């Protein structure tokens, strides 16, 4: 310890300083690595849709093929996917930088979940998927959270359930109090499920269980990574369990009022 202002710092102090310097430098390098990785992943992900667009446009330009409306539609789909990808990249880079600041207020949870379920109402009807919502929390139950971020996390979970569940399947959304001070939302589906050996990776960004299937489903591979980041920033947890061929259950838990 330093006893007087004139004292030379001892070995301990120097070692401590060196330690904390190394830790900060290490964290910075780690952060830098994550950012570099994100940029190269993003470039990789954008290459495919841009190559598809370019190929089609070049063929049309050369006049080699007559321009069909359905060709234009598939080009439009690719641009939509790129737009989503870019929006999601912004969200993930914000969340991973640790600079996501939450704008929390007391939010009534039931209307929030209903609103998200309604977004997918038409899609569910088209696929004749039975979408049910069950609320086991007391009337008017409120959670102190950033409504926009939690809504986004729910959109990603319920959107996946709709996308991956085949026609005439079923989806349940259930809200309950897991234990005192913890709210729980389960999103369960009768989709294809996720093989056990792949389950640990589904929250990694750009990870896809079945690349061809998810690409045609318009997936970006970022939805779950974003949902998990948003939930964890609230001090909550997001986990999945699945039985291949039977379905998948995502369980989101949030503190009703996060500790400061
Ligand atoms: P994507 O945009 O590809 O859906 P996500 O991060 O949302 O990306 O999901 C990662 C992967 O996890 C998906 O590609 C899919 O293979 C798998 N997955 C996610 N949700 C489900 C689900 N409800 N049922 C089956 N597989 C799912």
């Amino acid at each position: 310890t330093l006893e007087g202002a004139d004292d030379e710092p001892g070995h301990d102090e120097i070692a401590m300083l060196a330690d904390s310097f190394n830790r900060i430098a290490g964290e910075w390098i780690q952060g830098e690595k994550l950012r570099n990785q994100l940029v190269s992943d993003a470039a990789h992900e954008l290459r495919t849709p841009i190559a598809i667009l370019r190929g089609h446009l070049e063929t049309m330009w050369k006049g080699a093929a007559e321009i069909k409306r359905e060709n234009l539609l598939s080009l439009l789909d690719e641009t939509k996917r790129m737009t989503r990808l870019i929006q999601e990249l912004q969200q993930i880079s914000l969340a991973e930088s640790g600079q996501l600041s939450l704008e929390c207020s007391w939010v009534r949870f039931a209307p929030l979940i209903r609103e998200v379920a309604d977004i997918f109402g038409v899609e569910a009807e088209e696929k004749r998927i039975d979408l049910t919502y069950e609320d086991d929390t007391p009337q008017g139950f409120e959670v102190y959270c950033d409504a926009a971020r939690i809504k986004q996390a729910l959109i990603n979970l319920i959107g996946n359930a709709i996308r991956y569940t085949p026609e005439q399947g079923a989806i349940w959304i259930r809200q309950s109090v897991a234990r005192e001070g913890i709210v729980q939302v389960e999103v369960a589906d009768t989709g294809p499920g996720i093989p056990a050996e792949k389950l640990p990776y589904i929250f990694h960004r750009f990870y896809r269980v079945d690349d061809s299937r998810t690409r045609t489903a318009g997936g970006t591979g970022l939805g779950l990574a974003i949902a998990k980041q948003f939930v964890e920033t609230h001090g909550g947890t997001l986990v999945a369990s699945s039985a291949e061929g039977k379905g998948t259950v995502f369980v989101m838990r949030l503190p009703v009022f996060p500790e400061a």
Side-chain angles (χ1 to χ4, degrees):
T1 54
L2 286 174
E3 279 172 344
D6 299 332
D7 279 355
E8 295 275 318
H11 281 298
D12 283 357
E13 280 77 27
I14 291 172
M16 262 168 60
L17 271 176
D19 265 1
S20 69
F21 175 79
N22 281 337
R23 192 175 40 76
I24 291 165
E27 277 168 12
W28 189 81
I29 290 167
Q30 195 57 32
E32 198 61 9
K33 270 193 190 147
L34 270 176
R35 273 188 293 280
N36 285 340
Q37 187 61 42
L38 184 61
V39 171
S40 76
D41 287 347
H44 179 80
E45 291 297 320
L46 280 166
R47 244 197 304 274
T48 309
I50 286 174
I52 293 174
L53 264 183
R54 185 171 165 173
H56 278 93
L57 288 172
E58 275 175 357
T59 316
M60 286 179 191
W61 168 249
K62 285 178 191 149
E66 70 177 293
I67 300 173
K68 292 202 192 104
R69 282 187 70 78
E70 70 244 38
N71 289 350
L72 289 178
L73 200 62
S74 81
L75 298 192
L76 200 58
D77 280 346
E78 285 302 324
T79 61
K80 280 186 192 155
R81 215 173 77 83
M82 279 194 274
T83 308
R84 237 187 77 193
L85 183 58
I86 289 163
Q87 285 167 344
E88 294 191 352
L89 276 167
Q90 284 173 324
Q91 293 179 350
I92 195 93
S93 99
L94 186 68
E96 286 187 0
S97 71
Q99 283 167 355
L100 181 71
S101 54
L102 298 177
E103 286 174 28
C104 292
S105 60
W106 285 106
V107 177
R108 281 189 60 190
F109 238 46
L112 182 79
I113 297 176
R114 275 219 179 77
E115 205 183 307
V116 178
D118 283 347
I119 294 175
F120 296 103
V122 175
E123 249 173 288
E125 222 165 272
E126 276 171 4
K127 288 179 84 175
R128 281 170 294 155
I129 289 173
D130 193 17
L131 181 64
T132 44
Y133 172 48
E134 202 182 305
D135 181 7
D136 293 340
T137 58
Q139 250 230 305
F141 191 77
E142 290 186 333
V143 178
Y144 194 76
C145 66
D146 184 327
R149 305 299 184 188
I150 295 304
K151 186 175 167 185
Q152 185 63 57
L154 289 167
I155 286 176
N156 295 0
L157 294 180
I158 298 168
N160 276 348
I162 296 271
R163 255 183 309 137
Y164 295 114
T165 301
E167 290 207 359
Q168 291 182 311
I171 295 169
W172 301 267
I173 307 165
R174 201 166 76 93
Q175 177 191 344
S176 57
V177 177
R179 58 190 154 80
E180 211 195 311
I182 305 284
V183 67
Q184 170 172 299
V185 182
E186 289 160 279
V187 178
D189 65 53
T190 58
I194 298 162
E197 73 275 13
K198 299 196 166 162
L199 203 56
Y201 306 107
I202 58 167
F203 294 103
H204 292 191
R205 63 187 186 209
F206 296 120
Y207 183 82
R208 299 174 177 100
V209 171
D210 176 345
D211 206 40
S212 58
R213 190 177 67 198
T214 55
R215 268 186 202 279
T216 50
T220 60
L222 286 174
L224 288 179
I226 291 169
K228 195 175 171 78
Q229 287 275 356
F230 284 180
V231 170
E232 286 179 354
T233 309
H234 281 82
T237 57
L238 178 61
V239 296
S241 56
S242 188
E244 217 181 334
K246 293 209 171 106
T248 309
V249 187
F250 286 89
V251 183
M252 176 174 116
R253 286 184 173 191
L254 281 181
V256 173
F257 189 79
E259 306 284 328

